[in-house]
Amino acid sequence: MTSLSILAALRRKPIRPRRNPARILVEPFFALSLDPLWVTTLDGRLRRVNPAFLDILGHPESGLPAGNILDLVHPADRPAAAAAIAGLARGNAVASLETRFRSAAGSYKSLTWSSTPFLATRLAYTVARDRTRQELDEEALRQSEARSLCALESTTDAFFAVNSDWHLIRVNRQAERLWLCDRAGVLGRNLWEALPDADGAPLHRMYEQAMFTGTPAHLEEFHPAPYDRWFDVHAYPSAEGLAVYFRDVTERRQAEEKIKRALQEKEVLLREVHHRVKNNLQVICSMLHLQERNLRDDTLLQALRVSRQRVMAMAMLHDQLHRAKDFSNINLGEYIRNLAGSLFSSHGVNSADVALRLDIEDIPVAVDTAIPCGLLVNELVSNSLRHAFPDGRKGHVSLGLHARPGGSVELTVCDDGRGFLESAPAGNTRSLGLWLVELLAGQIGAALERASGDGARYRFVFQEAGQALFPAHPLTSKESEK
């Protein structure tokens, strides 16, 4: 083949350009990178962008400006970006410059970009990172902190926070006011240096407990001069160290102390009232006793003795209230035991002849319940001692007091004497004593049962609060006094 034919063949066969191996290796990274990449001339004219650039800014490749990359830059950021691009022509790389770029929608996305110039090719290669989401998160965080700070400043509670080294990192306006100091002067200082009076005090131990155990703690403590105030303090462990809320409760404590003193004064007055009532009732008993000496009529004498015993029953209740710590309730068991013993003594009963049996629980009841119960016991025990054991007959008088399910109380008075009379004259009416028993049972709303056999037995069931269980059992005309 001649040289001419070879040249002709070469002209007919196209010459394929040789591809750069380095570009073949880089091409997939350029296309697949999640970060925006672009190539510009050293003066900023766009030559190529990757898909991530198009996705983030929303521009179609055909819609990109044919001019300079600066055409996409926010006007406020353009001077700094232009200065950086100008430095590329001098071989100066750009490192982490934050710039806002216009998207296809007209909004701006914040990108942090770095660029490296290659003077030989007169091109600059740029990689960027989208910071829009991060900035939105940072802005949301700033707004959240601002709201929290506003809440802490506007709350009526004082607040401060310390880190794990006990250095004050936050102090609100209310804490500044209660501490009588400028917060700027204590922020950053050690808590125990800023508040030396708290060092080693119960508050110190409470803060350490909350910090080291990770559990909230609460304490109410008086702070001496220069504060002279009561503080209610709540400490909560936090990620930074410890958050503490406290408030001035001095006025509340003073009001509580005032109420406490008033209650103590009223207790003293009530105690004095019960003491005087008891003394007055005892004076009445003494007068009745003196009157008995001048009487020769057995009927009148017996009436005075019964009246004196009723008055004494009420006097004993006021004596117990005078010695009690609680004026709203009285120990009914203790009252009945004392009353029964007093009745046996006043009747001059020989315990070898008639014995007293007690099966009594200590049950607190209201005073309005205790008085009728005491009078019931007085009437029935006195009745047994006067009538159940005639002619030296021996026996027992038994008293029972028990709490029952449902908040009810059972009171029993019984004896093993001669029992009730089987018959009575047709015109016989109930005695004052038995009439009082029925009346007093109705007063406390008690269900009343009466039985006779080997002796007499009375049973009362009532609520502690005095609510009626059943209407009081009426005594018939045949149920006369023994």
Side-chain angles (χ1 to χ4, degrees), residues 326-368:
D326 182 7
F327 296 114
S328 60
N329 292 301
I330 190 168
N331 186 336
L332 184 58
E334 179 186 356
Y335 175 42
I336 291 177
R337 282 191 292 266
N338 294 336
L339 178 59
S342 174
L343 289 171
F344 266 66
S345 176
S346 64
H347 281 83
V349 177
N350 186 345
S351 60
D353 296 330
V354 180
L356 176 63
R357 291 178 176 176
L358 299 175
D359 182 15
I360 291 177
E361 298 177 6
D362 289 330
I363 301 175
V365 298
V367 175
D368 291 342

Side-chain angles (χ1 to χ4, degrees), residues 66-385:
N68 202 293
I69 186 69
L70 292 173
D71 295 337
L72 297 175
V73 175
H74 191 283
D77 298 341
R78 197 168 295 164
I85 291 174
L88 293 174
R90 298 190 296 271
N92 299 326
V94 179
S96 301
L97 180 64
E98 187 173 338
T99 305
R100 286 167 290 176
F101 291 85
R102 187 180 72 251
S103 68
S107 60
Y108 285 87
K109 298 293 185 71
S110 181
L111 303 180
T112 299
W113 57 279
S114 300
S115 187
T116 301
F118 289 85
L119 298 181
T121 60
R122 307 297 297 172
L123 295 176
Y125 295 85
T126 305
V127 60
R129 177 66 57 86
D130 185 6
R131 291 194 71 256
T132 306
R133 172 54 58 188
Q134 182 179 348
E135 287 190 348
L136 290 175
D137 292 342
E138 291 174 352
E139 179 60 24
L141 180 60
R142 282 193 293 270
Q143 291 180 2
S144 176
E145 290 179 345
R147 287 193 295 269
S148 298
L149 182 61
C150 180
L152 288 175
E153 289 298 325
S154 59
T155 182
T156 56
D157 288 344
F159 169 82
F160 69 88
V162 296
N163 60 19
S164 57
D165 295 325
W166 300 102
H167 288 94
L168 287 159
I169 55 177
R170 289 186 186 86
V171 177
N172 75 345
R173 185 183 300 110
Q174 188 69 359
E176 186 179 33
R177 185 183 69 82
L178 293 179
W179 280 350
L180 308 175
C181 68
D182 181 8
R183 73 176 105 179
V186 297
L187 282 172
R189 292 179 59 189
N190 185 280
L191 175 65
W192 315 122
E193 294 177 358
L195 300 174
D197 294 335
D199 190 11
L203 273 178
H204 189 161
R205 294 190 291 273
M206 184 195 79
Y207 292 155
E208 287 185 336
Q209 175 189 349
M211 176 85 80
F212 298 142
T213 64
T215 56
H218 169 249
L219 180 67
E220 195 168 295
E221 189 182 46
F222 179 75
H223 286 243
Y227 309 110
D228 290 327
R229 315 294 291 174
W230 279 95
F231 289 144
D232 183 33
V233 186
H234 294 262
Y236 302 93
S238 67
E240 297 170 312
L242 196 66
V244 179
Y245 295 84
F246 63 101
R247 64 179 61 181
D248 184 356
V249 294
T250 305
E251 291 184 2
R252 191 203 75 198
R253 291 291 298 233
Q254 290 173 345
E256 289 176 354
E257 290 297 325
K258 185 176 180 180
I259 293 172
K260 189 181 296 184
R261 287 194 299 270
L263 287 175
Q264 290 174 347
E265 291 173 0
K266 289 183 179 179
E267 285 183 3
V268 171
L269 290 175
L270 279 174
R271 204 177 297 278
E272 181 64 21
V273 166
H274 287 301
H275 181 63
R276 293 193 179 192
V277 169
K278 180 206 70 170
N279 287 345
N280 291 337
L281 292 175
Q282 286 180 336
V283 169
I284 294 173
C285 289
S286 299
M287 293 172 66
L288 292 174
H289 184 65
L290 291 173
Q291 187 66 43
E292 292 172 13
R293 298 180 179 179
N294 299 323
L295 292 177
R296 297 294 179 265
D297 189 311
D298 290 341
T299 303
L300 292 177
L301 184 62
Q302 182 64 22
L304 280 180
R305 285 177 180 172
V306 171
S307 298
R308 178 164 56 85
Q309 288 169 358
R310 290 167 180 159
V311 175
M312 183 57 68
M314 291 185 287
M316 290 181 67
L317 176 69
H318 286 282
D319 179 58
Q320 187 170 334
L321 283 170
H322 165 66
R323 294 180 284 103
K325 294 181 180 179
D326 182 7
F327 296 114
S328 60
N329 292 301
I330 190 168
N331 186 336
L332 184 58
E334 179 186 356
Y335 175 42
I336 291 177
R337 282 191 292 266
N338 294 336
L339 178 59
S342 174
L343 289 171
F344 266 66
S345 176
S346 64
H347 281 83
V349 177
N350 186 345
S351 60
D353 296 330
V354 180
L356 176 63
R357 291 178 176 176
L358 299 175
D359 182 15
I360 291 177
E361 298 177 6
D362 289 330
I363 301 175
V365 298
V367 175
D368 291 342
T369 301
I371 292 176
C373 287
L375 292 174
L376 281 172
V377 171
N378 177 78
E379 295 301 324
L380 295 175
V381 171
S382 297
N383 198 44
S384 293
L385 295 178

